[in-house]
Amino acid sequence: AVECVVLHVHRCQFVVQAGQTLNQIAAMYRTDWLQLWSLNQQLDSPDMSLQANSVLQVGRVYDVQPHDTPSAVAGRFGVEEELFLLLNADFGAHAWASPSCTSPAACRFLAANLTGVYQWCLLPSSCSGSSGSIYHGQPLAGLPGAAPPVSQSTA
């Protein structure tokens, strides 16, 4: 008889094996210990011993938006294709440039019915990501929540 087993793998999580260090795990994901340490608030010190079977965050979970393509999102966050595919092993390289969903309703439907498929794990690189935002080039006073400009008197 053939039996099927369904595994639910949590995005962006890594289970520590006995003897592994933060440096070793960081090397597996082409990053540094500082990046991993900043993702794991439970680590009091980067030098502390990691317990076997403890769970570390190795990236940030990104909720797929309408018309997102893995290549565009990865480029925005400075994630190379090879690393994106390592962090998202269930994602096929054949769909690298294809949008995953094309409307908010479709994204919500797919997220509700296909566990984890419409979330991606990203390990952003501040060195190679795109830093533009919808507020780029606007004066600080024009941003929501910003304090009004201080007037200077000329005496």
Side-chain angles (χ1 to χ4, degrees):
V2 176
E3 293 184 34
C4 294
V5 176
V6 176
L7 297 176
H8 294 281
V9 179
H10 296 278
R11 294 262 183 231
C12 299
Q13 293 185 349
F14 178 85
V15 178
V16 176
Q17 303 300 305
Q20 285 184 312
T21 67
L22 212 50
N23 271 329
Q24 290 170 331
I25 297 166
M28 293 168 60
Y29 292 98
R30 297 191 186 116
T31 190
D32 56 48
W33 66 267
L34 188 57
Q35 178 91 333
L36 291 185
W37 185 56
S38 70
L39 289 168
N40 291 278
Q41 303 284 322
Q42 77 277 14
L43 299 177
D44 295 329
S45 164
D47 300 319
M48 69 185 284
S49 295
L50 301 175
Q51 298 297 315
N53 298 317
S54 61
V55 177
L56 292 180
Q57 292 299 124
V58 293
R60 309 266 312 168
V61 175
Y62 175 83
D63 291 323
V64 176
Q65 302 300 308
H67 304 287
D68 276 348
T69 64
S71 60
V73 172
R76 179 176 179 205
F77 288 94
V79 180
E80 294 178 9
E81 179 178 1
E82 190 174 345
L83 178 58
F84 180 92
L85 295 173
L86 174 67
L87 291 166
N88 301 280
D90 59 336
F91 190 84
H94 64 279
W96 181 244
S98 303
S100 294
C101 53
T102 55
S103 72
C107 290
R108 284 191 300 274
F109 174 81
L110 293 170
N113 293 292
L114 297 172
T115 306
V117 174
Y118 289 89
Q119 289 184 321
W120 295 330
C121 181
L122 301 173
L123 186 53
S125 169
S126 60
C127 296
S128 58
S130 170
S131 62
S133 81
I134 61 172
Y135 300 113
H136 183 74
Q138 291 188 22
L140 184 58
L143 299 179
V150 177
S151 62
Q152 296 180 355
S153 61
T154 54

